[in-house]
């Protein structure tokens, strides 16, 4: 256990892996000084990970290495700990702990417990808004209720955004306010039961030309038309405020995507039950088929529907899937195969390196019709038409399915017209019961 002097302030880093424009860090450095940066590899989270080569953990580890080097330039160092957060905080005596809000149910409960113990011991615990532009009750209807439909929410969001000055938190201006300590080594992945391996993550730079063309190219999976910044948003290696400013300058469509991200976080904060229940309770009456061999075929990208299979193979091999294809694969699982959206959500959660609970849950419930502002249940994506529209030359399909157009490629596991009618009947009878 680390011995801290009682005049030390800890900044507890979580989903905000950067030393610039970091709200909580800025407040700690400015208000208190003598700040040490802490990262806890939380066993409650890591014990859930099945793959020893987890891309998300590798990404976090690499980013923390960079942060540690940066802190060492200023005579400080990153403190890392592997275990349960409450065990770490149990025995320490510091002046204050600063952090940034997290809106997921587990994190809210964890932070509350830790805060209560600190208050009891007379240690200040401060948390700030950092990963969204507007949070909690900042954008609500005129009667104070939260929005559950995106379009009016986004209008109100934009209005609030236009009418307020974006505030930045230049934590990078306070490099002489870190506590001076000897260089510390980051806990190796191997000590936590994981492997270090080579993997190239998407760059965090924003191509302004890409943003200008974003509206016309973002739905074409064979093109480099999306920002690929999702992993950086997920772990806060980029500033949401700076990205929102850029979006406002170059692409209203990309800005709209950032508002969707914000919307889903607020939905999760207001309605934590959606983690494992339908936002619209009536949809929990649907009689899912949940056929395990069909689910396996979907997971492996062997359904005989090329656009679906290309997406699943991209996911399995790269830890990423193009957003348009996420919608197609999710619609196929929930409508064509009538498999519970929770099965698909959990599979994406395991495989996506940009996995983010609010957006993943929101996307799956949107596709299945059960979410807030979801696609109506009778809207069933036709994989063939989606292919004609978004991958007409089959470039994306051929990239991920080398055996496409050969006898080795499987026949469709279900017929589209029959599956569509079966889905409509199943949904109708559940919702009318």
């Amino acid at each position: 256990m680390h011995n801290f002097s009682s005049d030390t302030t800890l900044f507890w880093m979580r989903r905000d892996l950067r030393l610039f424009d970091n709200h909580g860090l800025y407040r700690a450095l400015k208000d208190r000084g003598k700040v040490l940066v802490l990262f806890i590899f939380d066993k409650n989270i890591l014990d859930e990970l099945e793959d020893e080569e987890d891309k998300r953990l590798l990404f976090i580890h690499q980013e923390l290495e960079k942060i540690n080097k940066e802190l060492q330039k200023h005579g400080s160092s990153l403190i890392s700990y592997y275990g349960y957060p409450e065990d770490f905080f149990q025995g320490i005596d510091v002046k204050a702990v600063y952090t940034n809000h997290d809106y997921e149910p587990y994190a809210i409960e964890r932070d509350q417990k830790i805060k209560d113990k600190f208050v009891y011991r007379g240690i200040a615990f401060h948390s700030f808004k950092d990963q969204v532009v507007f949070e909690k009750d900042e954008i609500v209807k005129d009667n104070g209720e939260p929005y559950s439909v995106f379009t009016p929410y986004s209008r109100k969001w934009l209005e609030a955004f236009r009418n307020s000055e974006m505030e930045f938190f230049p934590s990078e201006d306070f490099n002489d306010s870190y506590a001076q300590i000897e260089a510390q080594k980051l806990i190796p992945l191997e000590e936590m039961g994981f492997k270090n391996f080579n993997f190239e993550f998407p760059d965090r730079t924003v191509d302004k030309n890409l943003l200008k063309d974003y509206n016309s190219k973002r739905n074409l999976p064979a093109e480099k038309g999306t920002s690929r910044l999702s992993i950086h948003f997920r772990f806060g290696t980029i500033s949401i405020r700076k990205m929102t400013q850029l979006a406002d300058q170059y692409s209203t469509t990309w800005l709209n995507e950032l508002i969707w991200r914000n919307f889903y976080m607020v939905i999760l904060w207001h309605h934590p039950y959606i983690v494992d229940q339908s936002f619209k309770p009536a949809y929990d009456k649907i009689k899912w088929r949940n056929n395990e061999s069909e689910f396996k075929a979907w997971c492996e990208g062997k359904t005989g529907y090329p656009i679906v299979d290309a997406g699943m193979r991209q996911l399995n091999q790269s830890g990423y899937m193009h957003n348009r294809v996420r919608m197609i694969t999710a619609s196929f699982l929930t409508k064509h195969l009538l498999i519970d959206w929770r099965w698909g959500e959990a599979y994406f959660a395991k495989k996506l390196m940009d996995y983010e609970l609010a957006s993943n849950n929101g996307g799956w419930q949107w596709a299945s019709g059960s979410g807030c502002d979801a696609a109506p249940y009778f809207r069933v994506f036709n994989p063939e038409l989606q292919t004609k529209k978004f991958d007409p030359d089959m470039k994306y399909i051929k990239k991920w399915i080398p055996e496409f157009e050969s006898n080795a490629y499987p026949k469709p596991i279900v017929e589209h017209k029959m599956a569509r009618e079966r889905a409509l009947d199943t949904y109708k009878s559940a919702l009318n019961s």
Side-chain angles (χ1 to χ4, degrees), residues 15 102-109 234 268 355-358:
R15 293 184 50 164
D102 193 326
Y103 307 101
E104 296 184 4
Y106 161 68
I108 291 169
E109 193 185 334
R234 169 68 182 92
L268 178 63
Y355 169 67
E356 199 279 313
L357 174 57

Side-chain angles (χ1 to χ4, degrees), residues 102-146:
D102 193 326
Y103 307 101
E104 296 184 4
Y106 161 68
I108 291 169
E109 193 185 334
R110 173 199 62 200
D111 290 358
Q112 192 55 54
K113 277 185 192 161
I114 287 167
K115 182 180 182 173
D116 290 346
K117 285 184 178 160
F118 278 150
V119 169
Y120 180 72
R121 290 165 55 201
I123 295 171
F125 183 90
H126 302 287
S127 187
F128 299 90
K129 173 179 73 169
D130 185 70
Q131 55 172 313
V132 288
V133 174
F134 296 112
E135 63 168 12
K136 301 178 182 177
D137 292 318
E138 289 184 328
I139 305 290
V140 287
K141 297 177 189 173
D142 293 341
N143 65 3
E145 283 176 16

